[in-house]
Amino acid sequence: MSAGAVGGRAAVPSAAAVALLVGTLALFGLTSNLPTPIGAIAGAVGGLAVYGVRRDSVEGAGERAFVAGAVVLGALAVVSPSSLESGLTGGLAAVGLLALLADDPRRTPGGLGRSVPMLALVALVLGISWASAVLLPTGTALVGVGSALLVVSAIVVAVFLGRPDLIDREDPQTG
């Protein structure tokens, strides 16, 4: 059995995590300033490249996949306009990257399912920031609405930090 295999299964991330990353990067490429098919293809190819790095079972593959994903996200962000659509799709692509990284094939099965609470927290913060961009007027922002959103997000973060079992239900591995 290879060093990266767990319980007889191959050390590769789940198809759902790969599909989420490739799909969100392709969508981010669609909202970029690149021509329509080229942007989507560039995003999808970048997602597959990140998957290729991530599926490596050697130690440190997750860190290299993060760097590769950050490069792909950064390259698409450079050619994207400053708009609500590209901001939302870029944030969703970042959540897709986190989903792929959370699905560590060297841990026990269920990595993507186990990481849903953490990904939901990140998606909630993304939703709050995107709603702030949509609802708050440009120039002079309403301090009360911004403060309320900040307080709500701080309460949610405090709940998750106070209850780490909500984020990661796997038993700690002691060596």
Side-chain angles (χ1 to χ4, degrees):
M1 186 181 316
S2 70
V6 176
R9 68 186 187 103
V12 295
S14 70
V18 175
L20 181 65
L21 176 66
V22 171
T24 55
L25 280 173
L27 189 62
F28 188 31
L30 281 175
T31 61
S32 71
N33 284 334
L34 295 173
T36 301
I38 294 174
I41 292 170
V45 168
L48 290 174
V50 173
Y51 164 68
V53 173
R54 180 68 181 106
R55 65 180 244 164
D56 194 3
S57 63
V58 297
E59 191 67 32
E63 290 83 5
R64 286 192 301 276
F66 171 75
V67 171
V71 167
V72 171
L73 279 171
L76 286 174
V78 166
V79 296
S80 293
S82 178
S83 68
L84 293 175
E85 295 82 16
S86 62
L88 179 62
T89 56
L92 290 175
V95 171
L97 176 63
L98 289 176
L100 183 76
L101 294 176
D103 192 15
D104 190 352
R106 291 173 293 156
R107 294 176 76 182
T108 57
L112 189 58
R114 190 178 53 247
S115 65
V116 166
M118 182 264 311
L119 293 173
L121 177 64
V122 172
L124 175 69
V125 172
L126 172 65
I128 289 172
S129 63
W130 194 73
S132 298
V134 171
L135 298 176
L136 296 177
T138 57
T140 59
L142 300 172
V143 176
V145 174
S147 299
L149 290 173
L150 183 62
V151 167
V152 167
S153 62
I155 289 171
V156 169
V157 168
V159 167
F160 277 108
L161 290 178
R163 299 268 322 264
D165 59 311
L166 293 175
I167 296 174
D168 191 5
R169 292 184 219 120
E170 182 178 344
D171 293 332
Q173 296 181 4
T174 57

